[in-house]
């Protein structure tokens, strides 16, 4: 008696964009609190391949054809965020943010971010 496993090779590629609308409070203050809301749009491409194979189970030989398939999926999820834009000088700032992206079942994925920047 023999056995075998048919395992395809898969390559996954994902790109995402997150357009949001942001409202900033307290103009001309040291720290500008803000709220953002939008959507995260993910583009997932899965490329699956498998060479033709045969496997044996209970002394019976089974042929398994090969394949080469590409599937694409677009995933759209809501996003909310809140944070502060804190200025060091008139043009340089630190931006801190807590963001929540929600799965299809409603469970959140939380991200904490910080970044430096400057105003033109």
């Amino acid at each position: 008696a023999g056995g075998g496993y048919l395992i395809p090779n898969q390559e996954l590629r994902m790109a995402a964009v997150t357009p949001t609308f942001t409202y900033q409070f307290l103009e001309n203050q040291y720290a500008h609190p803000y709220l953002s809301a939008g959507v995260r749009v993910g583009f997932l491409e899965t490329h699956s391949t498998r060479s033709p194979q045969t496997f044996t189970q209970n002394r019976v030989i089974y042929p398994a054809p090969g394949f080469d398939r590409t599937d694409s999926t677009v995933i759209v999820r809501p996003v909310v965020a809140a944070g502060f834009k804190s200025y060091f000088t008139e043009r340089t700032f630190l931006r801190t943010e807590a963001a929540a992206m929600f799965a299809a079942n409603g469970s959140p994925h939380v991200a904490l971010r910080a970044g430096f920047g400057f105003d033109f």
Side-chain angles (χ1 to χ4, degrees):
Y5 296 94
L6 298 175
I7 301 173
N9 295 315
Q10 289 190 320
E11 294 178 23
L12 302 174
R13 289 187 212 165
M14 176 135 185
V17 294
T18 308
T20 58
F21 291 100
T22 300
Y23 184 79
Q24 181 174 298
F25 302 92
L26 303 174
E27 277 295 319
N28 298 322
Q29 299 293 321
Y30 170 72
H32 300 259
Y34 65 89
L35 295 175
S36 297
V39 293
R40 180 174 181 88
V41 182
F43 303 95
L44 177 64
E45 182 178 276
T46 306
H47 181 219
S48 303
T49 58
R50 187 182 67 214
S51 299
Q53 301 173 30
T54 59
F55 69 97
T56 305
Q57 186 171 3
N58 297 328
R59 292 183 276 179
V60 177
I61 297 174
Y62 296 93
F67 61 83
D68 188 340
R69 178 177 67 226
T70 300
D71 299 308
S72 298
T73 305
V74 176
I75 303 164
V76 179
R77 300 287 185 255
V79 175
V80 294
F84 290 93
K85 188 176 178 184
S86 304
Y87 281 88
F88 295 114
T89 68
E90 187 177 310
R91 296 192 186 275
T92 60
F93 60 87
L94 169 69
R95 183 173 164 169
T96 56
E97 178 177 85
M101 294 158 259
F102 298 91
N105 65 3
S107 64
H109 168 82
V110 177
L112 302 175
R113 297 186 273 224
F116 293 97
F118 63 94
D119 290 333
F120 295 94

